[in-house]
Amino acid sequence: MKNCGIAELQDCRRGLGLQIGAAAVAAVLASAVLVAQARPQPGVKLTLDQLKAQMFHVSAGKRLKPKSWPNGARVAVGLSFDVDNASANLATGDLLSESISRGEYGAVDGVPRILRLLDKYQLPASFFIPAVSHLLHPQMIPSIMASGRHEIGVHGWIHEHLPSVNDAAAEQDMLNRAIDTLTKAIGKKPVGYRAPSWQFSQYTMAQVKNAGFLYDSSLMASDDAYEILLDGMPTGVVELPIERIVDDFPYYGGATNGGLPNQDLVEQVFRSEFDMAYDEGGLFILTMHPHITGHRSRIAGLEKLILHMKAKPGVWFATHEQIARYVKSL
């Protein structure tokens, strides 16, 4: 049954051939009114100071946009891959074979295909990995690290949704375990953090700061790098911003039924974002997932984008760590 708005209810009835009586229509209208009335509005009762505390608990500080990039480059490009695989499904208890096997695809075919493409053009990338993804598929990190070009960053323990955890001690424990697991896997402590689902709890930023991360890549307050403020105070942590516009998931979704499943159209969106970053002398961060972009047709779209970027002079392809260290040094 298609979705029908209240104003379209009569047309919907006729179009579907349904016999909906006046009482049913009245019930739908009453239900809609109740939903509208029940929508929480806690902010309307807060003072301006209270709103400021919420708005600027985690916020953008000093912008870190350089006048030029290394070797006079015009733009910095950070290709990133969130290696979620099935970890988010396991976290929520979604054990459907479709969900689990689709996630497994990221480890079986997605990561190897992505690495072959990056090797073809000798490009670096940053891979953000939930610790459980690594523990379930321990072959991934050695294959990622083999070229010596790529970086591994922390992406939670099991792709947990931190606002739902809502427990400082539990969140700290998972962060500690994730850091310890990936440190053991790569032989050094990761310097980058990306929150699972890009969602902070009220505790996350303080824990990221206290863990000594060089940078975070979970926030969206600018197109360019900036220093993160915590309750108005500088943290020393560099933010390399992400955006849903330059993320494969909104377009492709978990399957082929995303909002824009045509890889050529998705590549056009990404290309337009890159072209503007190039014109502005800025930063282009692209987020992808091996179980999504790792499919054949989608890799073809990514390769077209890479060829477009490489055709322009002055493009600096770098890991997130390299970008963060450069902007922080200025």
Side-chain angles (χ1 to χ4, degrees):
M1 180 174 180
K2 69 176 183 177
N3 294 325
C4 305
I6 294 171
E8 301 169 313
L9 188 56
Q10 297 295 342
D11 290 339
C12 220
R13 289 168 57 199
R14 288 191 290 270
L16 294 172
L18 299 178
Q19 300 301 314
I20 302 177
V25 173
V28 170
L29 289 170
S31 175
V33 170
L34 287 173
V35 168
Q37 291 175 340
R39 184 178 297 168
Q41 296 284 293
V44 303
K45 299 179 180 179
L46 300 181
T47 67
L48 180 57
D49 285 342
Q50 290 172 321
L51 292 172
K52 285 181 177 179
Q54 292 181 344
M55 178 70 195
F56 301 117
H57 173 55
V58 177
S59 61
K62 180 180 180 181
R63 293 193 68 184
L64 302 173
K65 182 179 180 180
K67 293 181 179 180
S68 66
W69 296 100
N71 300 316
R74 181 73 177 268
V75 66
V77 173
L79 301 177
S80 66
F81 297 90
D82 292 358
V83 191
D84 302 341
N85 296 344
S87 60
N89 305 102
L90 294 170
T92 60
D94 174 9
L95 304 182
L96 295 175
S97 59
E98 179 183 5
S99 303
I100 296 297
S101 61
R102 178 174 291 124
E104 188 178 16
Y105 183 94
V108 174
D109 276 351
V111 167
R113 184 171 287 125
I114 286 165
L115 291 175
R116 290 197 297 271
L117 179 65
L118 296 174
D119 285 346
K120 181 177 180 180
Y121 297 102
Q122 295 292 292
L123 296 179
S126 298
F127 291 78
F128 297 94
I129 306 181
V132 167
S133 284
H134 157 66
L135 293 171
L136 294 176
H137 300 283
Q139 78 280 8
M140 292 190 305
I141 285 182
S143 66
I144 292 169
M145 300 300 291
S147 71
R149 294 190 309 272
H150 307 312
E151 171 199 8
I152 303 293
V154 175
H155 196 40
W157 170 251
I158 189 172
H159 208 277
E160 59 275 6
H161 185 253
L162 296 173
S164 299
V165 173
N166 195 30
D167 182 317
E171 182 174 342
Q172 185 69 66
D173 176 66
M174 287 188 286
L175 178 61
N176 292 344
R177 284 189 286 155
I179 293 171
D180 291 345
T181 298
L182 294 185
T183 298
K184 182 178 179 180
I186 67 177
K188 64 178 183 178
K189 185 178 178 181
V191 301
Y193 178 81
R194 177 172 283 170
S197 300
W198 300 348
Q199 298 288 333
F200 280 10
S201 76
Q202 61 182 312
Y203 314 110
T204 307
M205 191 58 229
Q207 294 184 3
V208 168
K209 175 181 180 294
N210 293 336
F213 283 104
L214 167 68
Y215 73 88
D216 170 74
S217 186
S218 313
L219 305 175
M220 308 183 188
S222 176
D223 293 311
D224 296 297
Y226 58 87
E227 182 179 13
I228 301 174
L229 302 182
L230 179 61
D231 296 323
M233 299 299 294
T235 62
V237 179
V238 174
E239 177 60 32
L240 300 181
I242 40 77
E243 228 307 318
R244 299 294 178 189
I245 299 169
V246 280
D247 172 21
D248 60 3
F249 195 89
Y251 306 110
Y252 295 135
T256 59
N257 58 350
L260 189 63
N262 185 311
Q263 71 273 5
D264 290 333
L265 296 178
V266 175
E267 188 266 333
Q268 289 178 28
V269 175
F270 294 164
R271 177 186 294 202
S272 180
E273 286 285 327
F274 165 79
D275 286 345
M276 283 299 297
Y278 186 88
D279 290 344
E280 295 176 351
L283 174 64
F284 178 69
I285 298 289
L286 181 61
T287 303
M288 297 158 285
H289 301 75
H291 71 290
I292 295 176
T293 288
H295 285 274
R296 294 163 175 164
S297 61
R298 297 165 183 178
I299 280 288
L302 176 57
E303 184 167 17
K304 287 176 63 178
L305 175 65
I306 288 172
L307 289 171
H308 173 74
M309 293 189 292
K310 286 182 69 67
K312 288 182 175 287
V315 178
W316 181 43
F317 291 91
T319 65
H320 285 37
E321 177 180 359
Q322 291 168 331
I323 295 170
R325 291 197 186 282
Y326 182 75
V327 299
K328 192 168 184 176
S329 71
L330 301 177

